[in-house]
Amino acid sequence: MNIQENYDLARHNTFGISARCKRFIEYTNEDEALQVAAWLKEDTDPLLIIGGGSNLLLTRDFPGTVVRAAVRGIEADVIDEVDTEHCVVQCGAGERWDDVVAWCVEHGCYGAENLSLIPGDVGASVVQNIGAYGVEVKDLVLMIEAVEIETGQMVVFGRADCQYGYRQSRFKQDWRNKYLITRVLYLMQRQFTPLLDYGNVRQALEQRGITEPSAAEMRQVVIDIRKEKLPDPEVWGNAGSFFMNPVVERAVYEQLAAQYPQMPHYAVDKEHEKIPAGWMIEQCGWKGKTLGRAGVYDRQALVLVNKGGATGEDIVNLCQAICKDVNDRFGIQLHPEVNII
């Protein structure tokens, strides 16, 4: 277990913003998580549970305890001798998500390839319901093992318990800061079936002369696409996509489509359409622009970046200015995907 006092969280958020917490705790196994839960139950200070910090914007010092899972380990097993289509991959909550995807591809456990190179840890993946190129992690979750802080008991949740939605789960709502996740079990396919018809994945494969990709080829093309669109946090601090893509009622979409015939969109269901937030931000002229020490990435308008020395407030000010312009032009309120503290 790692316990630090007056701890700088700069290396625990991909914006690279320096902010201190009163106490920082990392647990490395279930027994330590149980011990931490016992402490937290008696602690009156504020609590913040984090993952890899890739979905976190710190605007101030945190006057309480920050807890992070550092449970490691990846292993796979068949469900039983009858089920030849699936396998279960069990991961420590502190494993890097992309390391898990790489391991799965190497060991013949398929389904996560489209989620390659998404930053963050395994525990955070099921809190945030990460997604990309037509796949969400909820599609893969089988069970989540955790410690309930209030009772100090080990608990297990199934996929349905978490009430997953677009970038949402109960862990972000009524379960916020109530559980210490220790392990996640993913249900993977033993036969690779590529999902190609989202974004420009198929086009990128065709440019390489690949019509029937292997899992490794699929993973690599997704990595290359993401690297082309997203800045390296080591160069420019960022949290990837800063805003959620808004889902609007069909009547709203049709009204906007009449004004903007080239507007991209994705059907959600018969009553709703998803409109890319990045497209609207770009139409408002923000792509590549800066506001103080924060800016909008010049290759992907969804990404806000620390241009050097930005504070959390600098990023928030930029976020608010963008939201105002998008709302004024399109009548749509953007919502951050990032957790702002």
Side-chain angles (χ1 to χ4, degrees):
M1 189 183 308
N2 176 26
I3 304 175
Q4 304 282 340
E5 304 288 336
N6 189 29
Y7 185 75
D8 190 347
L9 296 166
R11 70 183 188 91
H12 294 287
N13 72 95
T14 54
F15 270 113
I17 290 173
S18 179
R20 291 188 173 273
C21 62
K22 182 177 179 180
R23 184 182 302 105
F24 177 78
I25 303 175
E26 282 185 323
Y27 56 92
T28 64
N29 55 50
E30 286 81 355
D31 288 341
E32 290 183 357
L34 288 165
Q35 186 176 357
V36 172
W39 294 340
L40 295 176
K41 184 178 180 181
E42 304 301 323
D43 194 358
T44 58
D45 287 333
L47 172 63
L48 175 63
I49 300 173
I50 65 172
S54 60
N55 198 49
L56 179 66
L57 175 61
L58 298 169
T59 62
R60 56 183 172 84
D61 288 341
F62 188 74
T65 302
V66 174
V67 178
R68 178 178 182 270
V71 183
R72 305 295 184 188
I74 309 173
E75 59 184 55
D77 197 3
V78 296
I79 297 176
D80 55 46
E81 297 303 321
V82 177
D83 190 339
T84 59
E85 297 181 358
H86 302 94
C87 59
V88 175
V89 178
Q90 181 182 154
C91 307
E95 288 286 347
R96 290 179 64 247
W97 167 254
D98 192 55
D99 290 345
V100 171
V101 181
W103 189 96
C104 287
V105 169
E106 182 179 348
H107 289 81
C109 304
Y110 305 119
E113 304 79 26
N114 290 34
L115 304 180
S116 292
L117 208 65
I118 293 180
D121 296 344
V122 161
S125 78
V126 297
V127 171
Q128 177 70 6
N129 187 23
I130 59 173
Y133 302 109
V135 178
E136 292 180 307
V137 83
K138 71 174 178 61
D139 304 324
L140 309 174
V141 169
L142 179 63
M143 288 190 299
I144 299 167
E145 298 177 358
V147 175
E148 185 176 23
I149 295 173
E150 179 64 27
T151 64
Q153 299 295 314
M154 293 293 301
V155 293
V156 177
F157 300 113
R159 178 189 308 170
D161 298 320
C162 302
Q163 297 180 7
Y164 282 118
Y166 174 55
R167 302 296 181 270
Q168 290 293 333
S169 73
R170 293 187 71 182
F171 292 107
K172 295 181 70 175
Q173 305 297 331
D174 56 311
W175 287 355
R176 186 182 182 90
N177 287 335
K178 291 186 177 181
Y179 296 96
L180 303 178
I181 297 174
T182 55
R183 297 189 184 277
V184 178
L185 281 68
Y186 301 100
L187 184 65
M188 299 294 194
Q189 304 291 323
R190 299 172 73 178
Q191 182 71 34
F192 174 61
T193 303
L195 297 176
L196 307 176
D197 296 320
Y198 199 96
N200 56 342
V201 172
R202 185 183 294 276
Q203 178 184 357
L205 287 165
E206 289 175 349
Q207 289 174 349
R208 304 177 187 206
I210 302 172
T211 56
E212 297 182 3
S214 66
E217 289 171 331
M218 185 71 176
R219 169 169 160 76
Q220 188 58 55
V221 81
V222 170
I223 288 173
D224 292 345
I225 291 171
R226 289 185 64 87
K227 284 184 175 180
E228 178 66 24
K229 293 197 308 181
L230 302 174
D232 183 347
E234 297 295 327
V235 179
W236 276 353
N238 72 92
S241 298
F242 193 90
F243 299 98
M244 292 186 284
N245 292 316
V247 176
V248 301
E249 294 182 356
R250 176 159 293 277
V252 174
Y253 157 71
E254 290 175 348
Q255 184 178 17
L256 287 171
Q259 295 178 261
Y260 305 97
Q262 303 303 315
M263 180 179 66
H265 61 99
Y266 305 96
V268 176
D269 53 41
K270 292 181 179 180
E271 289 80 30
H272 298 89
E273 292 282 332
K274 183 185 294 183
I275 301 175
W279 179 86
M280 290 188 287
I281 295 169
E282 186 171 351
Q283 298 306 301
C284 291
W286 276 104
K287 189 175 182 181
K289 285 193 174 182
T290 61
L291 183 65
R293 294 168 292 184
V296 180
Y297 191 47
D298 59 5
R299 295 185 186 178
Q300 171 53 268
L302 264 184
V303 180
L304 306 189
V305 296
N306 180 349
K307 304 282 280 190
T311 65
E313 287 299 324
D314 291 331
I315 306 293
V316 169
N317 290 339
L318 176 60
C319 166
Q320 291 174 343
I322 290 170
C323 288
K324 181 181 183 303
D325 284 357
V326 169
N327 193 38
D328 287 347
R329 180 163 182 175
F330 297 98
I332 292 177
Q333 181 63 53
L334 295 182
H335 297 283
E337 183 175 322
V338 172
N339 184 23
I340 300 174
I341 301 298

